[in-house]
Amino acid sequence: YAASWIDAGDEDPVQPGVQTMRGARRAGGVQLTAKTWPGEHEGSYWDRHYRSYLRFYTRALQRCR
């Protein structure tokens, strides 16, 4: 079991690369949570979403037992 999370803001300059990576990982059968939220990866972006990251990784790590 391998869970992956990837996200980017809709204003991130890396958004095209993120979309390519999402497609490749899904095509390879990787379980992927992918999000696009408003903004860029800056301090306020992280502040708005870190709880979601922690919930995701807490659940993923609990499955590793």
Side-chain angles (χ1 to χ4, degrees), residues 1 3-4 14-15 17-18 21-23 27 30 33-34 36-38 42 45 48 50-51 54-55 60-63 65:
Y1 172 79
S4 295
V14 298
Q15 189 61 255
V18 168
M21 186 173 13
R22 285 176 180 170
V30 174
T33 298
T36 299
W37 285 316
E42 58 201 19
Y45 180 95
R48 287 190 306 271
Y50 77 90
R51 287 183 181 100
L54 292 176
R55 278 191 300 272
L61 290 171
Q62 286 173 340
R63 294 182 187 124
R65 296 183 206 183

Side-chain angles (χ1 to χ4, degrees), residues 18-62:
V18 168
Q19 294 299 326
T20 299
M21 186 173 13
R22 285 176 180 170
R25 293 188 64 95
R26 285 186 172 147
V30 174
Q31 181 179 344
L32 178 66
T33 298
K35 305 281 186 184
T36 299
W37 285 316
E40 288 186 59
H41 272 84
E42 58 201 19
S44 60
Y45 180 95
W46 292 101
D47 289 344
R48 287 190 306 271
H49 303 294
Y50 77 90
R51 287 183 181 100
S52 296
Y53 305 144
L54 292 176
R55 278 191 300 272
F56 174 85
Y57 286 111
T58 297
R59 284 191 299 263
L61 290 171
Q62 286 173 340

